[in-house]
């Protein structure tokens, strides 16, 4: 059985080294994939938070379109408004 040429062994070793480099350090490496998975998880959490905020805002808009009760409540709490014929009593502590 003849021995393989030395240059073939060196070439295969270089190819193996290049592939290992890409696996651990280069583009698409395990570290980069892990980092991207972490970023995806963070973005999904942010998306869920924003979806919940949108649902709340949508419900508030529908309520404002539907009736005057919410408008009155906001006027009372935020602007301190009083209906005609009502008396406002403020208690100081």
């Amino acid at each position: 059985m003849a021995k393989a040429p030395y240059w073939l062994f060196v070439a295969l070793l270089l190819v193996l080294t290049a592939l290992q480099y890409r696996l651990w350090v280069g583009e698409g490496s395990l570290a980069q994939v892990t980092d991207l998975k972490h970023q995806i998880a963070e973005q999904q959490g942010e998306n869920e938070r924003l979806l919940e905020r949108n649902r709340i805002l949508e419900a508030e808009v529908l309520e404002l379109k539907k009736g005057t009760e919410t408008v009155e409540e906001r006027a009372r709490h935020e602007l301190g408004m009083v209906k005609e014929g009502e008396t406002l009593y403020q208690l100081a502590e």
Side-chain angles (χ1 to χ4, degrees), residues 1-2 6 8 10 21-22 32 58-59 62 68-69 73:
M1 198 163 172
Y6 180 72
L8 181 61
V10 171
Y21 175 80
R22 181 172 173 160
Q32 186 181 28
E58 185 178 2
L62 289 174
T68 59
E69 199 172 295
E73 182 181 336

Side-chain angles (χ1 to χ4, degrees), residues 63-65 67-76 81:
E63 181 65 31
L64 287 171
K65 286 181 179 180
T68 59
E69 199 172 295
T70 306
V71 174
E72 282 184 23
E73 182 181 336
R74 281 193 169 212
R76 289 174 185 273
M81 298 180 91

Side-chain angles (χ1 to χ4, degrees), residues 35-50:
D35 186 46
L36 289 174
K37 285 181 181 179
H38 180 69
Q39 288 178 12
I40 288 170
E42 285 179 356
Q43 188 62 52
Q44 286 174 337
E46 177 72 9
N47 289 353
E48 286 298 319
R49 187 186 67 77
L50 291 173

